[in-house]
Amino acid sequence: MTRVEAIDLVKRYGSFVAVDKVTLRAREGELVTILGPSGCGKSTTLRMLAGLIQPDGGRIFFDERDVTSLPPDKRNIGFVFQRVALFPHMNVYKNVAFGLEMRKMPKRVIQERVKEALRLVHMEGYEDRMPSQLSGGQAQRVEIARVLATDPEVLLFDEPLSNIDAKLKDELKYEIRRIQRETRKTLIYVTHDQAEAFAISDRVYVMNNGRIEQEGTPLEIYTNPRTPFIASFIGTTNFIETSLKDYDEKGGIATLEASGLEIRVRHPSILLDRRRRYFISIRPEDIKVINPDDQKSYLNSFKGTVEDAIFIGTTVRLNINVNGLLLKVDTYGAERFNFLDSKGKEVVIGFDSCTILNM
Ligand code: ATP
């Protein structure tokens, strides 16, 4: 197991800064994801970790070893690309054995390693198949086996599931997690898919415009997004621009105003600056349509009118107009069917959970 540390990595293309002082760490045996929208610099960062791109600044360490100037083949990494790159003229066995044969390992050792790698990805029995006879998901498993067979210190995966259909993708992401757990290898995984990142990661680095904007466990990032970008990129949210009216030091509750409403937010400390605008985020699933008698049980409760009810499947999403503020509210379970015909109805909503974002 190896610890990976990248400090202040920079990559420029002409005057364009693709990666801007990125610092990230993966502990031994940890699965860390770099998550972000297209073009934010995720692949460039991963390729620098692999030695495929030379950084313009910063350093990379594997444990205490400074690997910044080492070529990829001296780093002992296993890189899995978006596109499967199996040799089309070799069968599965030969593909997985290739890297080991190049290292001139004894035949018996190669046989054992290939067998173990195919077992890990649940592809035993496919040794004689040609790549053209495999499904996309099976081919990607063989690709992963090929990488595992060489027993790398660090695994680097660049959107390995992006060319795989949704259902299989869902299965394979858990497979990758299982394989990582079983091999206890440090894995750095790049994706633009939030659900994928959250399902498999110990920790996530969210990247935007070449920078790391937030780092944390999936739960920390979801429940406590620090910036408007994070709040909107991770799941769905209600963004509200507010002004601060009051802060109660004792109770740790800020009162913010928007659209003539006073919204109360639990916040550990805040500098009372009435000239500043504050953005808050409230998740649609954190707002409930409540019984008017229960208003006292919530930090916030308001009357509103349902403008729209949209059936999404597991949820019915309501757009509720509260004093001119349009809020997305998600309803679940059997109760959600009661809202299918709620357009135009008056309701009372209640919520406690709400986050003030840093600007
Ligand atoms: P995607 O998910 O679309 O692959 P990404 O987050 O992995 O995106 P990168 O591939 O790291 O993004 O690219 C980051 C930025 O650097 C992009 O704006 C890209 O256009 C730019 N870029 C990447 N490689 C080069 C290059 N060789 N020359 C010039 N610009 C580049």
Side-chain angles (χ1 to χ4, degrees), residues 55-92:
D56 295 314
R59 311 233 56 89
I60 300 162
F61 295 90
F62 287 0
D63 289 334
E64 266 73 47
R65 218 157 38 105
D66 185 338
V67 298
T68 319
S69 327
L70 291 183
D73 58 318
K74 295 276 178 323
R75 293 193 186 193
N76 198 11
I77 49 145
F79 202 97
V80 174
F81 295 88
Q82 220 174 73
R83 253 185 229 110
V84 175
L86 298 175
F87 297 115
H89 58 288
M90 290 184 191
N91 66 17
V92 165

Side-chain angles (χ1 to χ4, degrees), residues 123-256:
M123 285 293 287
E124 312 99 316
Y126 287 81
E127 288 80 355
D128 297 330
R129 290 260 192 118
M130 298 304 280
S132 60
Q133 298 169 314
L134 300 172
S135 72
Q138 290 169 335
Q140 194 56 285
R141 281 172 196 259
V142 175
E143 186 77 50
I144 294 170
R146 182 155 80 158
V147 160
L148 292 174
T150 61
D151 193 24
E153 276 180 65
V154 176
L155 298 171
L156 303 170
F157 285 16
D158 191 0
E159 307 237 17
L161 305 181
S162 63
N163 292 323
I164 288 170
D165 68 70
K167 194 154 188 294
L168 194 60
K169 189 172 162 172
D170 212 43
E171 241 172 65
L172 262 181
K173 70 184 180 203
Y174 294 112
E175 281 291 281
I176 288 177
R177 179 66 178 152
R178 177 191 58 77
I179 293 164
Q180 188 268 341
R181 283 261 163 91
E182 214 174 317
T183 57
R184 300 173 72 209
K185 289 197 185 294
T186 309
L187 168 56
I188 303 180
Y189 190 100
V190 158
T191 180
H192 64 274
D193 181 331
Q194 179 242 314
E196 191 178 319
F198 274 29
I200 64 170
S201 310
D202 294 310
R203 277 184 314 115
V204 178
Y205 285 86
V206 189
M207 232 180 140
N208 185 28
N209 289 329
R211 294 174 180 225
I212 301 292
E213 207 154 304
Q214 189 166 354
E215 173 269 324
T217 63
L219 187 67
E220 282 163 359
I221 290 175
Y222 191 85
T223 53
N224 208 357
R226 261 198 244 123
T227 65
F229 165 77
I230 304 271
S232 56
F233 185 67
I234 308 287
T236 307
T237 197
N238 291 290
F239 253 142
I240 306 171
E241 190 178 348
T242 67
S243 55
L244 183 63
K245 280 198 72 178
D246 191 23
Y247 185 67
D248 167 18
E249 291 277 353
K250 247 204 241 142
I253 289 179
T255 304
L256 300 123

Side-chain angles (χ1 to χ4, degrees), residues 11 29-30 39 59 83 110 149 176 234 244 264 300 314 335 342 347:
K11 183 67 200 172
E30 199 176 27
R59 311 233 56 89
R83 253 185 229 110
I110 294 179
I176 288 177
I234 308 287
L244 183 63
R264 304 203 304 149
N300 298 287
T314 50
E335 195 201 7
S342 62
V347 290

Side-chain angles (χ1 to χ4, degrees), residues 13 16 18 37-44 159:
Y13 292 110
F16 175 70
S38 179
C40 72
K42 324 179 276 298
S43 292
T44 307
E159 307 237 17

